[in-house]
Amino acid sequence: MTDFDIIERSRLSGPGLRAYSKIADLWELDEAQRIAALGDPDQSTYRNWMIRACAMGAVTLPQDALMRISATLGIHKALHRLFSEHAQALGWLKSPHRGTAFQATTPLHLIVHGGQDGMMTVRRYLDRWSAGHANQGAPEGSFVPVTEEDVISL
């Protein structure tokens, strides 16, 4: 890791944590959910980060936590583009969805418990939706798994 990486992470960490905290408030996340979404740092580590960030003190997050904050910011931005009211966005986040990306779980569950992959799944879904590309392809529920009868022998 270069000094530039550490300097850049230090520059972004405080503002990122403050923005993350505000979004987590809007999404009504409890402390356990906030910690899980950031990659499960120890509770004391999380609290220390937040105290230092809110006091405008120096804090340097790991790259993984910054990536998760970036994904959270992207999800929040996309929700703001797609929904005119906060209650609609919150309802979408907290409702189970049948789509392939969600498999009957809530987007919020993927954000909190799905690791970076889960967060990025939600972010990419929302980005495609806001660009007008969501729900294209086969109708929901029409997918039929391949069977042995479908395989052609050469």
PDB file of all heavy atoms in Angstrom, residues 44-65:
ATOM      1  N   SER A  44     -16.749  -1.639  19.114  1.00  0.00           N
ATOM      2  CA  SER A  44     -15.933  -0.543  19.657  1.00  0.00           C
ATOM      3  C   SER A  44     -15.181   0.194  18.548  1.00  0.00           C
ATOM      4  O   SER A  44     -15.036   1.418  18.602  1.00  0.00           O
ATOM      5  CB  SER A  44     -14.955  -1.064  20.715  1.00  0.00           C
ATOM      6  OG  SER A  44     -14.080  -2.014  20.165  1.00  0.00           O
ATOM      7  N   THR A  45     -14.721  -0.533  17.553  1.00  0.00           N
ATOM      8  CA  THR A  45     -14.054   0.092  16.407  1.00  0.00           C
ATOM      9  C   THR A  45     -15.030   0.989  15.663  1.00  0.00           C
ATOM     10  O   THR A  45     -14.713   2.145  15.352  1.00  0.00           O
ATOM     11  CB  THR A  45     -13.490  -0.981  15.458  1.00  0.00           C
ATOM     12  OG1 THR A  45     -12.529  -1.761  16.167  1.00  0.00           O
ATOM     13  CG2 THR A  45     -12.865  -0.364  14.221  1.00  0.00           C
ATOM     14  N   TYR A  46     -16.228   0.475  15.387  1.00  0.00           N
ATOM     15  CA  TYR A  46     -17.255   1.264  14.701  1.00  0.00           C
ATOM     16  C   TYR A  46     -17.573   2.538  15.480  1.00  0.00           C
ATOM     17  O   TYR A  46     -17.616   3.635  14.916  1.00  0.00           O
ATOM     18  CB  TYR A  46     -18.519   0.427  14.495  1.00  0.00           C
ATOM     19  CG  TYR A  46     -19.702   1.241  14.048  1.00  0.00           C
ATOM     20  CD1 TYR A  46     -19.822   1.660  12.725  1.00  0.00           C
ATOM     21  CD2 TYR A  46     -20.691   1.614  14.954  1.00  0.00           C
ATOM     22  CE1 TYR A  46     -20.900   2.434  12.322  1.00  0.00           C
ATOM     23  CE2 TYR A  46     -21.766   2.381  14.554  1.00  0.00           C
ATOM     24  CZ  TYR A  46     -21.873   2.792  13.236  1.00  0.00           C
ATOM     25  OH  TYR A  46     -22.932   3.559  12.840  1.00  0.00           O
ATOM     26  N   ARG A  47     -17.800   2.388  16.774  1.00  0.00           N
ATOM     27  CA  ARG A  47     -18.140   3.556  17.594  1.00  0.00           C
ATOM     28  C   ARG A  47     -17.000   4.578  17.608  1.00  0.00           C
ATOM     29  O   ARG A  47     -17.222   5.781  17.551  1.00  0.00           O
ATOM     30  CB  ARG A  47     -18.508   3.124  19.008  1.00  0.00           C
ATOM     31  CG  ARG A  47     -19.859   2.442  19.059  1.00  0.00           C
ATOM     32  CD  ARG A  47     -20.224   2.013  20.448  1.00  0.00           C
ATOM     33  NE  ARG A  47     -21.568   1.433  20.474  1.00  0.00           N
ATOM     34  CZ  ARG A  47     -22.102   0.877  21.535  1.00  0.00           C
ATOM     35  NH1 ARG A  47     -21.438   0.847  22.693  1.00  0.00           N
ATOM     36  NH2 ARG A  47     -23.317   0.375  21.474  1.00  0.00           N
ATOM     37  N   ASN A  48     -15.785   4.090  17.674  1.00  0.00           N
ATOM     38  CA  ASN A  48     -14.625   4.984  17.639  1.00  0.00           C
ATOM     39  C   ASN A  48     -14.555   5.734  16.310  1.00  0.00           C
ATOM     40  O   ASN A  48     -14.291   6.944  16.281  1.00  0.00           O
ATOM     41  CB  ASN A  48     -13.341   4.184  17.900  1.00  0.00           C
ATOM     42  CG  ASN A  48     -12.130   5.068  18.053  1.00  0.00           C
ATOM     43  OD1 ASN A  48     -12.206   6.173  18.566  1.00  0.00           O
ATOM     44  ND2 ASN A  48     -10.993   4.570  17.613  1.00  0.00           N
ATOM     45  N   TRP A  49     -14.764   5.013  15.195  1.00  0.00           N
ATOM     46  CA  TRP A  49     -14.797   5.679  13.885  1.00  0.00           C
ATOM     47  C   TRP A  49     -15.822   6.800  13.873  1.00  0.00           C
ATOM     48  O   TRP A  49     -15.553   7.905  13.420  1.00  0.00           O
ATOM     49  CB  TRP A  49     -15.172   4.697  12.785  1.00  0.00           C
ATOM     50  CG  TRP A  49     -14.160   3.667  12.412  1.00  0.00           C
ATOM     51  CD1 TRP A  49     -12.839   3.609  12.759  1.00  0.00           C
ATOM     52  CD2 TRP A  49     -14.411   2.529  11.596  1.00  0.00           C
ATOM     53  NE1 TRP A  49     -12.261   2.497  12.204  1.00  0.00           N
ATOM     54  CE2 TRP A  49     -13.193   1.821  11.484  1.00  0.00           C
ATOM     55  CE3 TRP A  49     -15.535   2.024  10.961  1.00  0.00           C
ATOM     56  CZ2 TRP A  49     -13.081   0.656  10.742  1.00  0.00           C
ATOM     57  CZ3 TRP A  49     -15.418   0.859  10.222  1.00  0.00           C
ATOM     58  CH2 TRP A  49     -14.203   0.177  10.117  1.00  0.00           C
ATOM     59  N   MET A  50     -17.028   6.489  14.363  1.00  0.00           N
ATOM     60  CA  MET A  50     -18.120   7.461  14.302  1.00  0.00           C
ATOM     61  C   MET A  50     -17.845   8.665  15.204  1.00  0.00           C
ATOM     62  O   MET A  50     -18.104   9.811  14.801  1.00  0.00           O
ATOM     63  CB  MET A  50     -19.451   6.811  14.666  1.00  0.00           C
ATOM     64  CG  MET A  50     -19.915   5.760  13.663  1.00  0.00           C
ATOM     65  SD  MET A  50     -19.933   6.310  11.933  1.00  0.00           S
ATOM     66  CE  MET A  50     -21.099   7.649  12.011  1.00  0.00           C
ATOM     67  N   ILE A  51     -17.318   8.427  16.383  1.00  0.00           N
ATOM     68  CA  ILE A  51     -16.997   9.535  17.291  1.00  0.00           C
ATOM     69  C   ILE A  51     -15.978  10.463  16.644  1.00  0.00           C
ATOM     70  O   ILE A  51     -16.153  11.690  16.633  1.00  0.00           O
ATOM     71  CB  ILE A  51     -16.491   8.999  18.654  1.00  0.00           C
ATOM     72  CG1 ILE A  51     -17.656   8.358  19.424  1.00  0.00           C
ATOM     73  CG2 ILE A  51     -15.819  10.096  19.466  1.00  0.00           C
ATOM     74  CD1 ILE A  51     -17.214   7.537  20.630  1.00  0.00           C
ATOM     75  N   ARG A  52     -14.927   9.873  16.074  1.00  0.00           N
ATOM     76  CA  ARG A  52     -13.882  10.685  15.453  1.00  0.00           C
ATOM     77  C   ARG A  52     -14.400  11.406  14.212  1.00  0.00           C
ATOM     78  O   ARG A  52     -14.095  12.585  14.007  1.00  0.00           O
ATOM     79  CB  ARG A  52     -12.672   9.819  15.152  1.00  0.00           C
ATOM     80  CG  ARG A  52     -11.967   9.463  16.467  1.00  0.00           C
ATOM     81  CD  ARG A  52     -10.977   8.353  16.440  1.00  0.00           C
ATOM     82  NE  ARG A  52      -9.915   8.409  15.486  1.00  0.00           N
ATOM     83  CZ  ARG A  52      -9.266   7.325  15.081  1.00  0.00           C
ATOM     84  NH1 ARG A  52      -9.596   6.147  15.556  1.00  0.00           N
ATOM     85  NH2 ARG A  52      -8.289   7.417  14.225  1.00  0.00           N
ATOM     86  N   ALA A  53     -15.192  10.726  13.411  1.00  0.00           N
ATOM     87  CA  ALA A  53     -15.719  11.355  12.191  1.00  0.00           C
ATOM     88  C   ALA A  53     -16.664  12.502  12.528  1.00  0.00           C
ATOM     89  O   ALA A  53     -16.592  13.571  11.905  1.00  0.00           O
ATOM     90  CB  ALA A  53     -16.429  10.316  11.326  1.00  0.00           C
ATOM     91  N   CYS A  54     -17.544  12.304  13.500  1.00  0.00           N
ATOM     92  CA  CYS A  54     -18.512  13.348  13.869  1.00  0.00           C
ATOM     93  C   CYS A  54     -17.828  14.544  14.528  1.00  0.00           C
ATOM     94  O   CYS A  54     -18.322  15.670  14.426  1.00  0.00           O
ATOM     95  CB  CYS A  54     -19.601  12.778  14.773  1.00  0.00           C
ATOM     96  SG  CYS A  54     -20.679  11.633  13.887  1.00  0.00           S
ATOM     97  N   ALA A  55     -16.681  14.309  15.176  1.00  0.00           N
ATOM     98  CA  ALA A  55     -15.922  15.391  15.804  1.00  0.00           C
ATOM     99  C   ALA A  55     -14.940  16.028  14.818  1.00  0.00           C
ATOM    100  O   ALA A  55     -14.133  16.869  15.210  1.00  0.00           O
ATOM    101  CB  ALA A  55     -15.176  14.860  17.022  1.00  0.00           C
ATOM    102  N   MET A  56     -15.032  15.613  13.544  1.00  0.00           N
ATOM    103  CA  MET A  56     -14.135  16.092  12.486  1.00  0.00           C
ATOM    104  C   MET A  56     -12.677  15.729  12.772  1.00  0.00           C
ATOM    105  O   MET A  56     -11.757  16.395  12.321  1.00  0.00           O
ATOM    106  CB  MET A  56     -14.247  17.604  12.281  1.00  0.00           C
ATOM    107  CG  MET A  56     -15.637  18.087  11.984  1.00  0.00           C
ATOM    108  SD  MET A  56     -16.234  17.349  10.462  1.00  0.00           S
ATOM    109  CE  MET A  56     -17.558  18.463  10.072  1.00  0.00           C
ATOM    110  N   GLY A  57     -12.505  14.646  13.523  1.00  0.00           N
ATOM    111  CA  GLY A  57     -11.165  14.169  13.829  1.00  0.00           C
ATOM    112  C   GLY A  57     -10.635  13.268  12.728  1.00  0.00           C
ATOM    113  O   GLY A  57     -11.343  12.910  11.784  1.00  0.00           O
ATOM    114  N   ALA A  58      -9.386  12.888  12.868  1.00  0.00           N
ATOM    115  CA  ALA A  58      -8.737  12.025  11.878  1.00  0.00           C
ATOM    116  C   ALA A  58      -9.219  10.584  12.047  1.00  0.00           C
ATOM    117  O   ALA A  58      -9.266  10.055  13.149  1.00  0.00           O
ATOM    118  CB  ALA A  58      -7.233  12.087  12.045  1.00  0.00           C
ATOM    119  N   VAL A  59      -9.588   9.995  10.936  1.00  0.00           N
ATOM    120  CA  VAL A  59      -9.976   8.585  10.906  1.00  0.00           C
ATOM    121  C   VAL A  59      -9.604   8.034   9.534  1.00  0.00           C
ATOM    122  O   VAL A  59      -9.750   8.732   8.529  1.00  0.00           O
ATOM    123  CB  VAL A  59     -11.489   8.395  11.207  1.00  0.00           C
ATOM    124  CG1 VAL A  59     -12.352   9.119  10.221  1.00  0.00           C
ATOM    125  CG2 VAL A  59     -11.867   6.927  11.278  1.00  0.00           C
ATOM    126  N   THR A  60      -9.079   6.823   9.511  1.00  0.00           N
ATOM    127  CA  THR A  60      -8.717   6.180   8.254  1.00  0.00           C
ATOM    128  C   THR A  60      -9.360   4.806   8.214  1.00  0.00           C
ATOM    129  O   THR A  60      -8.994   3.912   8.975  1.00  0.00           O
ATOM    130  CB  THR A  60      -7.189   6.050   8.106  1.00  0.00           C
ATOM    131  OG1 THR A  60      -6.600   7.347   8.225  1.00  0.00           O
ATOM    132  CG2 THR A  60      -6.823   5.446   6.753  1.00  0.00           C
ATOM    133  N   LEU A  61     -10.340   4.666   7.338  1.00  0.00           N
ATOM    134  CA  LEU A  61     -11.058   3.396   7.211  1.00  0.00           C
ATOM    135  C   LEU A  61     -10.298   2.427   6.312  1.00  0.00           C
ATOM    136  O   LEU A  61      -9.565   2.840   5.414  1.00  0.00           O
ATOM    137  CB  LEU A  61     -12.434   3.644   6.598  1.00  0.00           C
ATOM    138  CG  LEU A  61     -13.409   4.478   7.402  1.00  0.00           C
ATOM    139  CD1 LEU A  61     -14.700   4.685   6.604  1.00  0.00           C
ATOM    140  CD2 LEU A  61     -13.711   3.828   8.731  1.00  0.00           C
ATOM    141  N   PRO A  62     -10.535   1.139   6.501  1.00  0.00           N
ATOM    142  CA  PRO A  62     -10.011   0.158   5.554  1.00  0.00           C
ATOM    143  C   PRO A  62     -10.676   0.346   4.184  1.00  0.00           C
ATOM    144  O   PRO A  62     -11.790   0.862   4.079  1.00  0.00           O
ATOM    145  CB  PRO A  62     -10.410  -1.189   6.151  1.00  0.00           C
ATOM    146  CG  PRO A  62     -10.927  -0.922   7.522  1.00  0.00           C
ATOM    147  CD  PRO A  62     -11.281   0.513   7.601  1.00  0.00           C
ATOM    148  N   GLN A  63      -9.986  -0.088   3.161  1.00  0.00           N
ATOM    149  CA  GLN A  63     -10.503   0.037   1.787  1.00  0.00           C
ATOM    150  C   GLN A  63     -11.890  -0.606   1.645  1.00  0.00           C
ATOM    151  O   GLN A  63     -12.774  -0.058   0.995  1.00  0.00           O
ATOM    152  CB  GLN A  63      -9.520  -0.609   0.802  1.00  0.00           C
ATOM    153  CG  GLN A  63      -9.904  -0.458  -0.651  1.00  0.00           C
ATOM    154  CD  GLN A  63      -9.764   0.965  -1.143  1.00  0.00           C
ATOM    155  OE1 GLN A  63      -8.893   1.692  -0.702  1.00  0.00           O
ATOM    156  NE2 GLN A  63     -10.629   1.373  -2.034  1.00  0.00           N
ATOM    157  N   ASP A  64     -12.085  -1.750   2.272  1.00  0.00           N
ATOM    158  CA  ASP A  64     -13.362  -2.454   2.186  1.00  0.00           C
ATOM    159  C   ASP A  64     -14.512  -1.591   2.721  1.00  0.00           C
ATOM    160  O   ASP A  64     -15.569  -1.505   2.100  1.00  0.00           O
ATOM    161  CB  ASP A  64     -13.290  -3.768   2.964  1.00  0.00           C
ATOM    162  CG  ASP A  64     -14.613  -4.522   2.947  1.00  0.00           C
ATOM    163  OD1 ASP A  64     -15.031  -4.979   1.865  1.00  0.00           O
ATOM    164  OD2 ASP A  64     -15.235  -4.630   4.021  1.00  0.00           O
ATOM    165  N   ALA A  65     -14.309  -0.948   3.852  1.00  0.00           N
ATOM    166  CA  ALA A  65     -15.358  -0.098   4.430  1.00  0.00           C
ATOM    167  C   ALA A  65     -15.651   1.089   3.522  1.00  0.00           C
ATOM    168  O   ALA A  65     -16.819   1.468   3.340  1.00  0.00           O
ATOM    169  CB  ALA A  65     -14.946   0.373   5.827  1.00  0.00           C
TER     170      ALA A  65
END
